[in-house]
Amino acid sequence: LGFTDSSHTGKVLSSKYVGKHSRKKARWNLYSLHDRPKNHGKFPVLSSLVANPAGEVVISSEKKVYDVVLKQAALVKDQKRSDTAVDVKPDMVVPGTMYLLKEAYDRCGEVCAEYAKTFYLGTLLMTPERRKAIWAIYVWCRRTDELVDGPNASHITPSALDRWELRLEDLFAGRPYDMLDAALSDTVSRFPVDIQPFKDMIEGMRMDLKKSRYKNFDELYLYCYYVAGTVGLMSVPVMGIAPESKSTTESVYNAALALGIANQLTNILRDVGEDARRGRIYLPQDELAQAGLSDEDIFNGKVTDKWRNFMKIQIKRARMFFKEAEQGVTELSQASRWPVWASLLLYRQILDELEANDYDNFTKRAYVSKAKKLVSLPIAYGKSLIPPSQTQSSLARA
Ligand SMILES: CC(C)=CCC/C(C)=C/CC/C(C)=C/CC/C(C)=C/[C@@H]1[C@@H](COP(=O)(O)OP(=O)(O)O)[C@]1(C)CC/C=C(\C)CC/C=C(\C)CCC=C(C)C
Ligand SMILES: [Mn+2]
């Protein structure tokens, strides 16, 4: 939804899980397009292992991230599912603060409208409580991204990110540092939003400071989780799951994660040329090599058949993540479905535009025209009318 603006667990996840299980080379590849498992609430045993570049079998990023998904889902599981704002805590009336808080949320709305207009319009379809909360989350994400991508990015050090994280902990503890933090502080006191995805997003920004290449899709997946999958996990507690939905909370979170991953993969494919000009290549190095491509080819920016074939595979993968996200959207509360469908349809069309540009993402920026955006809105609306799952299938709650 118009995230075409300004350009664009932590420790829990890292060393703890990456134990050496075997020195044998893994025989399966979790991320081969044909074998990729569908999680849908249960994590298949085989896919939790993956070979690292040294040939050691380690816990895959997908498994590590899935553990976070389970934790997030468990946190809200007992919360009453609700299509209205009844689960929202009432305003705490501290004289003088109500007005300031309103101003803080209004400012978040303005930032949102300025940076991501279409997305902002989408939020207007939500209930007022949810809309304000999503604005506050949006603004925090945007500010976090600006730390490493904004005008002061060259001055940002890991310790600046550490300070940003302390500030995050403070706002979760009810001690916001500024007005925009105050809005988020209020949001997290009203909705069952956990701090972990926020910390993980900061971890993604740390990764951006120290890393400009990704050995394989397992590494890239973890990065995509940090910077975008987290957004899905932050948003679901605010958007709400439809009370009539019979699918598992885990599967809805999993779909939200998939939407974030799909968006980020799409972002990466759209911005190959732009990123290369900053010395960054977010494409899996092993897959580039398999396609007979090197970093030099990316820097030279010539569309060849090798490049087209490579891009086809990458686009196919991004579409798989969008597909995985689709069934989760239907499970969201009624008022949240339309904006999320619109976001999914619009972002996915960037992939179509990449194809229409004959895979030239070196000199062209794929974008969805206003006319196509307009056409997508009623389609998204139609999809938002599909009722949530009524049966306890493989998606069902355990
Ligand atoms: C069940 C189900 C499917 C629920 C829906 C869950 C949901 C709302 C998922 C949202 C997924 C989403 C929109 C992810 C954002 C992905 C994204 C664009 C990440 C960007 C990262 C950095 O990338 P980069 O620097 O390479 O890109 P730029 O050139 O800078 O663009 C981000 C920039 C991180 C910061 C993210 C934001 C500013 C977006 C935050 C969005 C929200 C909080 C609201 C999402 C809500 C809706 C309705 C889509
Ligand atoms: Mn960015």
Side-chain angles (χ1 to χ4, degrees):
L1 259 187
F3 288 120
T4 49
D5 35 58
S6 71
S7 73
H8 32 199
T9 12
K11 293 136 200 156
V12 169
L13 281 183
S14 40
S15 51
K16 185 171 156 195
Y17 294 97
V18 190
K20 286 178 201 164
H21 288 253
S22 153
R23 299 195 69 83
K24 264 191 252 154
K25 248 190 167 20
R27 281 176 297 128
W28 56 86
N29 176 4
L30 163 58
Y31 300 110
S32 98
L33 286 177
H34 311 289
D35 307 340
R36 194 174 177 280
K38 294 206 180 350
N39 287 326
H40 305 323
K42 279 201 183 113
F43 202 89
V45 177
L46 271 191
S47 61
S48 48
L49 300 176
V50 70
N52 73 10
E56 297 156 345
V57 178
V58 293
I59 305 288
S60 71
S61 294
E62 193 173 17
K63 168 76 176 98
K64 289 175 227 160
V65 171
Y66 192 68
D67 287 343
V68 181
V69 169
L70 289 183
K71 189 181 151 216
Q72 295 300 308
L75 285 171
V76 294
K77 222 172 189 168
D78 299 332
Q79 268 248 295
K80 191 172 161 288
R81 290 179 177 206
S82 168
D83 200 17
T84 63
V86 288
D87 52 345
V88 172
K89 295 193 190 117
D91 289 328
M92 285 259 295
V93 186
V94 179
T97 58
M98 282 289 289
Y99 173 73
L100 284 177
L101 208 49
K102 184 186 175 311
E103 248 194 86
Y105 275 119
D106 286 350
R107 183 69 197 123
C108 289
E110 281 164 24
V111 173
C112 210
E114 193 180 319
Y115 279 83
K117 195 168 275 144
T118 327
F119 163 64
Y120 172 79
L121 293 176
T123 61
L124 297 182
L125 305 168
M126 297 174 179
T127 61
E129 289 294 337
R130 287 182 173 145
R131 169 194 316 155
K132 287 191 313 183
I134 290 290
W135 289 343
I137 295 175
Y138 175 86
V139 166
W140 185 87
C141 293
R142 173 54 58 209
R143 289 172 103 188
T144 305
D145 184 59
E146 286 285 297
L147 291 176
V148 293
D149 269 355
N152 297 322
S154 57
H155 305 293
I156 293 296
T157 57
S159 58
L161 290 176
D162 293 347
R163 286 198 297 279
W164 187 246
E165 188 164 346
L166 287 177
R167 208 170 133 161
L168 172 76
E169 283 165 5
D170 278 347
L171 80 82
F172 264 81
R175 295 187 302 270
Y177 186 84
D178 66 14
M179 203 178 178
L180 300 174
D181 280 358
L184 185 58
S185 188
D186 182 65
T187 289
V188 304
S189 74
R190 287 162 185 276
F191 293 91
V193 177
D194 185 44
I195 196 169
Q196 192 63 52
F198 292 83
K199 286 184 164 230
D200 287 349
M201 182 177 274
I202 298 176
E203 191 61 27
M205 303 305 156
R206 286 196 185 96
M207 220 158 155
D208 254 332
L209 287 189
K210 57 183 181 222
K211 203 169 156 73
S212 59
R213 297 291 186 280
Y214 292 80
K215 286 196 191 91
N216 48 38
F217 187 69
D218 190 61
E219 281 194 11
L220 182 64
Y221 179 89
L222 190 57
Y223 172 73
C224 291
Y225 160 68
Y226 282 143
V227 300
T230 49
V231 178
L233 304 190
M234 295 168 192
S235 307
V236 173
V238 171
M239 301 202 163
I241 300 174
E244 66 274 29
S245 164
K246 294 283 185 295
S247 68
T248 61
T249 312
E250 296 82 46
S251 67
V252 179
Y253 271 81
N254 205 51
L257 164 74
L259 184 54
I261 304 274
N263 283 350
Q264 190 60 18
L265 290 175
T266 304
N267 234 4
I268 286 171
L269 297 178
R270 183 194 61 193
D271 296 342
V272 168
E274 195 182 310
D275 288 334
R277 285 186 280 282
R278 299 188 304 153
R280 305 192 149 273
I281 299 177
Y282 288 101
L283 305 165
Q285 293 280 315
D286 61 346
E287 294 176 23
L288 279 170
Q290 265 165 36
L293 293 159
S294 65
D295 285 2
E296 275 313 298
D297 293 311
I298 311 284
F299 293 131
N300 290 339
K302 261 192 79 179
V303 178
T304 58
D305 279 343
K306 280 182 187 170
W307 179 249
R308 287 187 188 94
N309 290 336
F310 173 81
M311 279 296 296
K312 281 179 195 168
I313 296 172
Q314 304 300 316
I315 289 175
K316 189 170 175 187
R317 175 188 279 143
R319 286 196 175 122
M320 277 170 44
F321 280 98
F322 278 118
K323 195 86 211 135
E324 195 165 335
E326 274 191 18
Q327 59 194 115
V329 189
T330 304
E331 308 306 318
L332 291 174
S333 65
Q334 171 72 65
S336 304
R337 293 206 285 269
W338 189 6
V340 176
W341 268 119
S343 151
L344 188 154
L345 297 181
L346 291 181
Y347 229 84
R348 184 161 57 188
Q349 283 177 76
I350 296 175
L351 298 173
D352 305 340
E353 297 304 324
L354 281 165
E355 289 169 339
N357 286 346
D358 190 27
Y359 308 99
D360 183 1
N361 40 7
F362 300 116
T363 63
K364 294 182 182 151
R365 191 175 210 261
Y367 75 98
V368 181
S369 68
K370 265 210 174 98
K372 284 186 183 162
K373 279 186 182 174
L374 278 177
V375 170
S376 302
L377 295 181
I379 298 175
Y381 180 71
K383 285 182 180 284
S384 75
L385 299 178
I386 303 170
S389 64
Q390 292 300 310
T391 52
Q392 295 221 341
S393 60
S394 58
L395 279 176
R397 228 180 310 185

